[in-house]
Structures are given as structure tokens and as C-alpha cells.
């Protein structure tokens, strides 16, 4: 079972998930990074370029999912160093600091809410994320071409790529592809026919949509929708 709510941290989402079925739907690329609590461990989920399947024994997760491009500012680590990885927070922060946070969250009746409080504290202690990156996400999420978006933002291709690696973990073309996948999934889950979903979300045709979903999610779209949750 998965539940979520909007966070008090702008753009973030607070969530919890109990995985009881090893064949439950995978976690899909979404352009985001998460701070996680799982069975007594504090972890960071880096940006994904492929589906991640928790699997294994029944387990409970709590987390805060940061808006795309913001987590590296709060966590103090470039996103590309964590691409397609789940790492212990002790690999990123001093052990003594993480130990105190572990004790704090372990004592909380609501680990997800405690993670949110931690994220708010970090946001108050760090510079605000680059607003240019927020504009980049917004533009790409409407289907704007990467080159045109770079021109609108006043950035050269190399500079945009470098800043995207730091903020998102991959280049702007991969970010655009991930955002397009999420647009398509939202439409398909709402019952929009696959052919119409492809056109409305920016694919050349339904076959293009099918290929992209298979590559990023690891399974056909119909099977993916049937295993959501």
C-alpha cells in the first residue's frame, strides 16, 4: 500500500509504502531523489534511469521525495554521484550526525513526518535551489525541445548539461525523456487510450511510447499499469 501527501517543503512529497508482494509495481524514473527510512536505515535514493524493484521480504518504507533538481542542494552531494543507487546516509554525512538522526526517527511514531521535519531544517540551513533549474523542469515538462529551452534560459549546451548532471543526475535530454514518461503514465492511468496517450505526451506514435516504457520501466505499458501499487 502506498500513500502520499504534499510536503510543507515546496514541491516535495511525503510518502510511505508497505511492500508485501515481491511482484508489486516497481519504482519508476521520475527526475526526483528521496530521503528514505527503511527498517531502521536512513538512505538516499539517487535519480533513476531505470525501474527499481524493492522486492524481497515484506518491508515498510517512509520517505520524502524532493522536487526535481533540489535534493543535491539540501543533501550536499551532486546527483550524478548517486545515479541509479540507494546509499546509506552515513556515506554522505558524518556518522555522528546520522546516528543522532537515526535515534530521532526511530523514536517517532511517524517516520515520514520526521523525515519532512529534517528536510525543512536542511532547507533552512542551505541556499535555495537554483530557480533556473525549476524553469528548466517546467519547460521540458511541457514538451519543449532541449535546445530551445537552453536558448530561452540563456545557457549553452555544455553549461546546461553540466548543471543538469549536478542537479538531476543526467543530462537534459534524459530528464525530458523521464518527464515525458511520467506524463504518459498519468494519462494512461486515467484511462486515455494508448495511441492518444502517445500523441498527447509527446511521442511520435504508440510504438515509440511502447519502446520507451519497455526500456525505462522494464515491462510493457499494459503490464505496468496492472502491477501499479
Amino acid at each position: 500500500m502506498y500513500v502520499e501527501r504534499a510536503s510543507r517543503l515546496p514541491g516535495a512529497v511525503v510518502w510511505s509504502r508497505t511492500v508485501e508482494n515481491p511482484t508489486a509495481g516497481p519504482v519508476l524514473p521520475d527526475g526526483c531523489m528521496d530521503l528514505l527510512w527503511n527498517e531502521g536505515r536512513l538512505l538516499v535514493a539517487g535519480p533513476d534511469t531505470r525501474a527499481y524493484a524493492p522486492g524481497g521480504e515484506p518491508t515498510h518504507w517512509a520517505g520524502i521525495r524532493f522536487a526535481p533538481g533540489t535534493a543535491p542542494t539540501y543533501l550536499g552531494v551532486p546527483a550524478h554521484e548517486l545515479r541509479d543507487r540507494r546509499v546509506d546516509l552515513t556515506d554522505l554525512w558524518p556518522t555522528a550526525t546520522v546516528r543522532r538522526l537515526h535515534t530521532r526517527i526511530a523514536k517517532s511514531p511517524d517516520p515520514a513526518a520526521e523525515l519532512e521535519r529534517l528536510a525543512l531544517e536542511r532547507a533552512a540551513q542551505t541556499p535555495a535551489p537554483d530557480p533556473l533549474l525549476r524553469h528548466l523542469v517546467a519547460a521540458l515538462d511541457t514538451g519543449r525541445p532541449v535546445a530551445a529551452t537552453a536558448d530561452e534560459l540563456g545557457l549553452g549546451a555544455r553549461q546546461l548539461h553540466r548543471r543538469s548532471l549536478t542537479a538531476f543526475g543526467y543530462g537534459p535530454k534524459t530528464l525530458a525523456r523521464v518527464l515525458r514518461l511520467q506524463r504518459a503514465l498519468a494519462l494512461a492511468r486515467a484511462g486515455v487510450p494508448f495511441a492518444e496517450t502517445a500523441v498527447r505526451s509527446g511521442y511520435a506514435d504508440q510504438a515509440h511510447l511502447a519502446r520507451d516504457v519497455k526500456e525505462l520501466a522494464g515491462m510493457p505499458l499494459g503490464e505496468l499499469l496492472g502491477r501499479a501499487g
Side-chain angles (χ1 to χ4, degrees):
M1 181 179 68
Y2 175 84
V3 295
E4 67 174 39
R5 64 171 174 81
S7 172
R8 288 174 289 160
L9 181 66
V13 173
V14 180
W15 60 271
S16 62
R17 185 186 192 202
T18 300
V19 180
E20 298 178 346
N21 182 352
T23 64
V27 179
L28 302 179
D30 58 6
C32 301
M33 294 173 57
D34 295 61
L35 180 61
L36 307 170
W37 175 258
N38 173 242
E39 307 297 341
R41 295 175 64 200
L42 271 169
L43 307 111
V44 174
D48 292 321
T49 61
R50 56 182 181 268
Y52 171 77
E57 297 295 322
T59 184
H60 179 75
W61 295 80
I64 179 166
R65 180 175 304 113
F66 299 100
T70 63
T73 298
Y74 302 139
L75 300 178
V77 59
H80 64 82
E81 294 186 6
L82 303 179
R83 184 173 53 235
D84 293 318
R85 300 175 62 200
R86 269 71 180 158
V87 302
D88 283 293
L89 191 58
T90 49
D91 292 340
L92 308 177
W93 291 2
T95 301
T97 299
V98 177
R99 188 181 298 119
R100 288 194 297 271
L101 296 174
H102 180 282
T103 300
R104 169 178 160 182
I105 296 172
K107 290 180 177 179
S108 173
D110 187 347
E114 199 62 41
L115 289 172
E116 180 184 30
R117 283 188 280 271
L118 169 58
L120 288 166
E121 292 167 7
R122 290 290 299 182
Q125 298 166 2
T126 57
D130 187 348
L132 181 145
L133 298 174
R134 183 174 67 251
H135 296 315
L136 172 63
V137 172
L140 295 181
D141 201 26
T142 65
R144 292 284 293 159
V146 171
T149 301
D151 289 342
E152 291 167 2
L153 297 176
L155 295 176
R158 290 185 179 180
Q159 185 181 16
L160 179 61
H161 189 81
R162 182 171 61 251
R163 292 171 74 163
S164 293
L165 284 178
T166 299
F168 306 108
Y170 34 63
K173 290 185 178 180
T174 298
L175 175 62
R177 190 178 175 209
V178 166
L179 295 174
R180 183 177 60 186
L181 171 70
Q182 289 296 326
R183 292 197 303 275
L185 291 176
L187 290 169
R189 286 167 178 156
V192 177
F194 290 176
E196 183 180 348
T197 288
V199 173
R200 289 175 57 181
S201 52
Y203 291 91
D205 51 31
Q206 186 174 339
H208 184 198
L209 166 65
R211 290 193 302 271
D212 224 39
V213 170
K214 185 67 180 296
E215 184 169 340
L216 291 172
M219 65 183 71
L221 180 56
E223 181 181 349
L224 176 64
L225 296 178
R227 289 175 56 179

